[in-house]
Amino acid sequence: RKEVEQDPGPFNVPEGATVAFNCTYSNSASQSFFWYRQDCRKEPKLLMSVYSSGNEDGRFTAQLNRASQYISLLIRDSKLSDSATYLCVVNDYKLSFGAGTTVTVRA
Amino acid sequence: DAMVIQNPRYQVTQFGKPVTLSCSQTLNHNVMYWYQQKSSQAPKLLFHYYDKDFNNEADTPDNFQSRRPNTSFCFLDIRSPGLGDAAMYLCATSRGDSGGYEQYFGPGTRLTVT
């Protein structure tokens, strides 16, 4: 079983829609969690850390469910510029990356 | 204000011809990482330096070596590139290697092997 698994998508949504997707992780001892955004042929960039109580940054909301070992990312009011691949990253004494979920926002 | 810089951005090398990729950082971070990323795959950690301490991943081929002459610079040497080594190579830095700290990535070097 992979350490971090994501639905690759793609999630195709119209502008203004809400899109949400999850990431599961295998190591229950994982300590910290992040969402990174990666545009085509570019480097990953930190989108947000994920805190135990859940956290929000503008239109982006991240949740952590330790019991079920998954984290989620929700994007409200999608913009064309949100089109990207979203990488789930889990710290289990080293960072483990998921392969990413692709989101395409259409006009 | 580039914080993690990688050179070159694109590198073409011949099968078996050694190649060196470079990374520099202005963040004064303790840890520097090298990742390999192939299309539609997760970045794969090759190795990292915590200061001068080198940490190799168990499944990193011997063909890949690294040097960190000082805090700011780190190099990835591929001694005999094969066609399967064509990929994006990402350098990243962080304050510490416990994983609790965010990693900041450079723009990557896209390596083509002919």
Side-chain angles (χ1 to χ4, degrees), chain A residues 36 38 41 43 46 94-95, chain B residues 37 57 102-103 106 110:
Chain A
Y36 278 73
Q38 188 170 27
R41 302 176 75 85
E43 75 275 22
L46 179 67
K94 67 175 185 180
L95 291 188
Chain B
Q37 187 177 27
E57 292 300 300
E102 298 88 350
Q103 292 188 9
R110 185 165 296 280

Side-chain angles (χ1 to χ4, degrees), chain A residues 31-32 34 36 38 40-46 49 51 87 91-100, chain B residues 9-10 35 37 40-43 45 57 88 90 97-108 110:
Chain A
Q31 297 296 311
S32 52
F34 307 94
Y36 278 73
Q38 188 170 27
C40 187
R41 302 176 75 85
K42 296 288 183 67
E43 75 275 22
K45 292 186 178 177
L46 179 67
S49 301
Y51 303 123
L87 301 174
N91 168 31
D92 49 3
Y93 302 107
K94 67 175 185 180
L95 291 188
S96 296
F97 285 77
Chain B
R9 295 292 306 279
Y10 300 91
Y35 289 87
Q37 187 177 27
S40 301
Q41 295 183 22
L45 182 64
E57 292 300 300
M88 173 78 94
L90 294 162
D97 71 350
S98 65
Y101 297 111
E102 298 88 350
Q103 292 188 9
Y104 296 87
F105 285 83
R110 185 165 296 280

Side-chain angles (χ1 to χ4, degrees), chain A residues 55-91:
Chain A
N55 49 299
E56 192 173 300
D57 183 359
R59 297 181 293 107
F60 297 84
T61 300
Q63 297 281 351
L64 167 63
N65 186 317
R66 285 194 182 274
S68 301
Q69 293 182 210
Y70 74 87
I71 66 171
S72 64
L73 182 67
L74 182 145
I75 307 173
R76 285 187 303 279
D77 188 24
S78 300
K79 311 291 185 193
L80 294 176
S81 57
D82 294 334
S83 298
T85 297
Y86 292 86
L87 301 174
C88 170
V89 182
V90 175
N91 168 31

